Amino acid sequence: SQTIHQWPATLVQPVGSPLSLECTVEGTSNPNLYWYRQAAGRGLQLLFYSIGIDQISSEVPQNLSASRPQDRQFILSSKKLLLSDSGFYLCAWTPGLAGGTDTQYFGPGTRLTVL
Amino acid sequence: AQRVTQPEKLLSVFKGAPVELKCNYSYSGSPELFWYVQYSRQRLQLLLRHISRESIKGFTADLNKGETSFHLKKPFAQEEDSAMYYCAQNRDDKIIFGKGTRLHILP
């Protein structure tokens, strides 16, 4: 069966420090991968999605970047965190083109607090 | 552990018939609950949240604390309502999603 992992679960970082959040998927191949953020009091916002290795689309201009060095690994990064980067970050996957379904499978999330 | 349960994986409803997508949550306090929708080949988008008590695209959802439910309802289904629907619970800015229900509107 497929599983999705995210770490860390909770992170407190000072302003200006770097960030690296990792997401990995097991039990499937060629998934589409997504990074979402929920800021306090708002709905979910799509940050990045990827249909393959090194194929990443950015949805909103921001202080963050994403990379996909392997088929089932998706990394969210920042060189210098801002206070506004605080929030809850969710990774998700959907089956690739061969999967034939749009069902999203969400990871457990990472709560990031920037001080 | 906090859970959001959507018992139906797939729901097929005839056009014009009423729709009810079930959602139960586990948090016993005062949760913040949402419904998200994803139409085919589109991004996930917020449909409604319980605190605003709004009606979007004819859908409503009432929080029932006694039954810990937040079912999504629409009196008359339309073909364009076919999509994946996710119920979600927000507590302390951590959002937990249900596994989703695929709504298929039959012509």
Side-chain angles (χ1 to χ4, degrees):
Chain A
S1 64
Q2 303 93 351
T3 53
I4 178 169
H5 304 280
Q6 273 185 255
W7 64 90
T10 305
L11 190 61
V12 181
Q13 292 281 95
V15 169
S17 64
L19 173 74
S20 181
L21 302 182
E22 190 161 342
C23 171
T24 58
V25 180
E26 295 176 358
T28 188
S29 297
N30 304 314
N32 297 325
L33 295 169
Y34 306 80
W35 276 112
Y36 292 93
R37 174 173 61 196
Q38 174 168 3
R42 301 185 210 161
L44 215 56
Q45 179 186 37
L46 178 63
L47 301 176
F48 300 96
Y49 71 91
S50 170
I51 62 171
I53 294 174
D54 294 330
Q55 297 180 69
I56 296 166
S57 297
S58 174
E59 288 294 298
V60 294
Q62 60 205 315
N63 184 42
L64 302 167
S65 61
S67 60
R68 186 170 176 176
Q70 300 179 48
D71 180 47
R72 289 169 287 179
Q73 183 185 30
F74 205 23
I75 298 171
L76 185 69
S77 304
S78 173
K79 292 182 180 178
K80 288 185 179 181
L81 282 169
L82 305 172
L83 286 174
S84 56
D85 292 324
S86 292
F88 190 74
Y89 290 83
L90 267 175
C91 182
W93 72 274
T94 62
L97 288 174
T101 173
D102 289 326
T103 304
Q104 297 237 347
Y105 300 92
F106 293 95
T110 297
R111 183 186 288 122
L112 172 66
T113 303
V114 182
L115 302 175
Chain B
Q2 296 178 53
R3 283 191 311 276
V4 176
T5 305
Q6 293 180 250
E8 302 135 334
K9 194 171 182 178
L10 171 65
L11 184 66
S12 295
V13 174
F14 283 105
K15 178 181 172 182
V19 174
E20 182 177 73
L21 300 172
K22 292 185 169 55
C23 172
N24 289 91
Y25 62 92
S26 64
Y27 177 47
S28 59
S30 296
E32 187 178 6
L33 292 158
F34 306 86
W35 275 100
Y36 282 85
V37 60
Q38 185 169 26
Y39 301 101
S40 183
R41 295 183 179 82
Q42 294 185 30
R43 68 186 63 178
L44 195 69
Q45 55 186 290
L46 180 64
L47 182 61
L48 53 82
R49 58 178 71 188
H50 90 275
I51 56 173
S52 57
R53 299 189 62 82
E54 56 198 341
S55 175
I56 304 293
K57 300 184 180 182
F59 284 97
T60 58
D62 291 320
L63 178 63
N64 185 324
K65 289 188 178 181
E67 296 181 358
T68 59
S69 68
F70 189 55
H71 303 328
L72 184 68
K73 299 178 183 178
K74 184 169 182 176
F76 307 104
Q78 297 171 286
E79 288 191 61
E80 55 264 33
D81 295 329
S82 292
M84 279 292 297
Y85 291 80
Y86 298 90
C87 183
Q89 169 185 296
N90 182 25
R91 180 192 173 192
D92 299 329
D93 292 329
K94 177 176 179 176
I95 190 164
I96 299 170
F97 279 84
K99 293 191 183 300
T101 298
R102 181 173 297 282
L103 177 63
H104 183 210
I105 305 302
L106 304 166

